[in-house]
Amino acid sequence: MTSTSNSATEQFAERLSATTLLRFATAGSVDDGKSTLVGRLLHDSKSVLTDQLEAVEHASRSRGQEAPDLALLTDGLRAEREQGITIDVAYRYFATPRRRFILADTPGHVQYTRNMVTGASTAELAVVLVDARNGVVEQTRRHAAVAALLRVPHVVLAVNKMDLVGYAEPVFAAIAKEFTAYAASLGVPEITAIPISALAGDNVVEPSAHMDWYGGPTVLEYLETVPVSHDLADCPARFPVQYVIRPQSAEHPDYRGYAGQIASGVLRVGDPVTVLPSGRTSTIEGIDALGVGVGAATTVDLAWAPQSVTVRLADDIDISRGDLIAPTAQLPGTTQDVEATVCHVADRPLTVGQRVLLKHTTRTVKAIVKDIPSRLTLDDLSQHPAPGQLVANDIGRVKVRTAEPLALDSYADSRHTGSFLLIDPADGTTLSAGMAGDAFADAATAPDASPAADDEGWDF
């Protein structure tokens, strides 16, 4: 193995300064023009292949439309094309000379709220569309609340169909003021309002000639320049162990490494670390990475999220899949009592007393739903106490008791190590997606100090 610490340090510095990839999601009420905006963005940025455009033109003609319906570039399901709505989350990948993008076009219907949660869960930016004729409606507030729950750091308000209100500045200003006040009250850190016409192309990729009163960026310009933090330097290091490597070969008789993907932060050789939940301590003796230098494996002095590496420790301690390696000076808390906000995504309900599996990073443990204190109504953010169960698309607070301690961050601190899934142990179906800690940025919840009752076979 070859040491390439200098090159690794240089690459780390480049990663800190470069923002080459942006994940973003679109959301909005029905017929606000989400798919048309995405289609226009892809078309005008020259990100549509010739055969794709020909297929859209053919489909548009078959529906009696003279011009290509750009919404069909993302409405891929037959039911979507026939009904003219978005049902599933449509992912698209495109690039400009300045940045690469992964976008998720999410549904607008209330019954597909869980799909919007799926699309926005990994997004660093959300584009919320509003029809300029209708202004901020209940679904607009619902999607702003979901973006706040998921801690999406940047929200763009795209006031669409400005051509249908005569490109009037007062209409845009009133909508922007109302939405900004609402989103800010939920703790959304950054809100940018842009007046557009997705159908005509105004302020999507090119500046609009009809809105000279607007001096801000176009949608694409903002997407290309918005600063994106990958939490490489600010977040504490978190390394969930995925696999223990012990070749026990003649070449490597004593090799013992712990492979996985760094969830956040930076790992350095010599760092004191603690293995959770056992609490055993050691120091990082070596880091082996792939694709860093010449050869199958290269030893480096540091590695950063989201690299996949193998970590070697100075001490031979018991570590297995699901354990978490973290800096001794910056440890997450460990608990068996998890209080969180969950979005229920399964058709079968989640009920109090239900036995589930909780999957957190690479660790899966038995758990029991001890309480469902409230269900959240996203329309007005009211809390319905003690609903007893959550059904599909519901968002609510839950208290879960796990069989083993979990090293769990707050979702506000880490979207990766603060999230988890609740799984049906009978068939492996995902029931709910959870976010540990407080629901909104400005919310505060008192911890639960009540002891957990015993349940037959799950007495923890």
Side-chain angles (χ1 to χ4, degrees):
M1 297 186 181
T2 306
S3 176
T4 58
S5 58
N6 290 336
S7 62
T9 304
E10 292 170 1
Q11 290 180 36
F12 175 62
E14 291 173 2
R15 287 289 300 273
L16 285 177
S17 61
T19 54
T20 59
L21 175 66
L22 174 69
R23 298 175 183 266
F24 72 100
T26 59
S29 188
V30 179
D31 295 329
D32 277 352
K34 298 179 303 300
S35 297
T36 302
L37 170 63
V38 173
R40 173 64 64 184
L41 198 59
L42 295 173
H43 179 271
D44 289 6
S45 64
K46 306 296 188 295
S47 301
V48 181
L49 299 176
T50 302
D51 60 339
Q52 290 177 312
L53 187 58
E54 289 175 352
V56 167
E57 291 172 345
H58 181 270
S60 300
R61 285 194 299 269
S62 67
R63 296 169 58 175
Q65 298 172 308
E66 295 182 3
D69 185 354
L70 298 180
L72 298 180
L73 287 170
T74 55
D75 288 342
L77 298 178
R78 171 179 287 184
E80 294 177 326
R81 296 194 180 211
E82 291 176 349
Q83 300 177 50
I85 63 173
T86 299
I87 296 174
D88 198 9
V89 180
Y91 290 95
R92 291 295 181 269
Y93 308 85
F94 70 101
T96 68
R98 304 179 71 176
R99 179 170 279 176
R100 294 178 293 116
F101 301 94
I102 300 176
L103 68 89
D105 184 28
T106 67
H109 287 69
V110 175
Q111 62 265 38
Y112 302 128
T113 300
R114 56 186 173 183
N115 299 50
M116 192 251 174
V117 171
T118 300
S121 62
T122 58
E124 296 148 324
L125 181 146
V127 179
V128 179
L129 269 76
V130 170
D131 189 325
R133 299 169 299 176
N134 302 327
V136 176
V137 296
E138 286 187 1
Q139 192 69 339
T140 309
R141 290 189 287 271
R142 183 177 291 110
H143 288 152
V146 169
L149 280 170
L150 295 172
R151 310 286 173 150
V152 179
H154 307 279
V155 172
V156 173
L157 172 68
V159 182
N160 193 23
K161 305 187 180 182
M162 288 296 295
D163 53 316
L164 300 183
V165 295
Y167 297 103
E169 181 181 7
V171 174
F172 167 74
I175 295 172
K177 181 179 180 181
E178 180 182 357
F179 180 87
T180 300
Y182 180 77
S185 70
L186 299 177
V188 177
E190 182 178 310
I191 305 141
T192 301
I194 304 175
I196 68 169
S197 170
L199 187 63
D202 293 286
N203 282 339
V204 178
V205 173
E206 300 294 336
S208 172
H210 303 98
M211 292 180 279
D212 53 2
W213 44 265
Y214 173 73
T218 65
V219 173
L220 182 61
E221 182 181 354
Y222 184 80
L223 294 177
E224 287 182 324
T225 57
V226 62
V228 178
S229 171
H230 293 286
D231 295 331
L232 296 180
D234 297 334
C235 287
R238 299 288 185 261
F239 184 68
V241 176
Q242 184 174 3
Y243 189 71
V244 179
I245 299 177
R246 296 192 66 188
Q248 295 181 319
S249 62
E251 185 180 358
H252 303 289
D254 301 318
Y255 186 93
R256 186 183 182 96
Y258 310 102
Q261 184 181 49
I262 303 175
S264 63
V266 181
L267 296 177
R268 296 178 176 84
V269 172
D271 281 353
V273 293
T274 298
V275 180
L276 298 173
S278 69
R280 298 289 299 273
T281 60
S282 186
T283 58
I284 297 179
E285 185 178 60
I287 302 173
D288 300 327
L290 292 175
V292 176
V294 179
T298 304
T299 299
V300 296
D301 284 345
L302 75 165
W304 55 89
Q307 282 185 315
S308 295
V309 298
T310 300
V311 173
R312 291 177 283 116
L313 301 182
D315 301 284
D316 187 9
I317 57 181
D318 184 18
I319 299 176
S320 59
R321 174 182 170 86
D323 288 344
L324 183 76
I325 298 175
T328 301
Q330 297 176 303
L331 294 178
T334 57
T335 183
Q336 288 182 257
D337 295 294
V338 178
E339 185 168 354
T341 301
V342 302
C343 176
H344 192 64
V345 300
D347 291 327
R348 69 193 74 168
L350 184 73
T351 58
V352 175
Q354 187 170 348
R355 301 174 182 182
V356 297
L357 297 177
L358 189 152
K359 178 175 173 56
H360 172 249
T361 63
T362 58
R363 189 176 187 85
T364 302
V365 299
K366 291 181 178 180
I368 296 176
V369 179
K370 304 304 296 184
D371 191 16
I372 303 178
S374 62
R375 183 181 71 247
L376 177 68
T377 299
L378 291 177
D379 300 341
D380 56 8
L381 301 183
S382 61
Q383 298 279 352
H384 292 262
Q389 67 175 13
L390 297 176
V391 298
N393 296 304
D394 277 351
I395 294 177
R397 297 290 292 175
V398 300
K399 296 178 181 179
V400 179
R401 174 76 174 178
T402 61
E404 304 169 27
L406 293 176
L408 194 67
D409 284 300
S410 168
Y411 187 80
D413 297 329
S414 173
R415 296 172 75 187
H416 187 91
T417 54
S419 61
F420 59 87
L421 296 177
L422 297 182
I423 300 171
D424 190 326
D427 59 11
T429 300
T430 298
L431 300 173
S432 303
M435 297 156 280
D438 296 332
F440 293 102
D442 56 349
T445 305
D448 176 37
S450 59
D454 289 347
D455 292 79
E456 182 182 356
W458 297 58
D459 52 346
F460 40 78

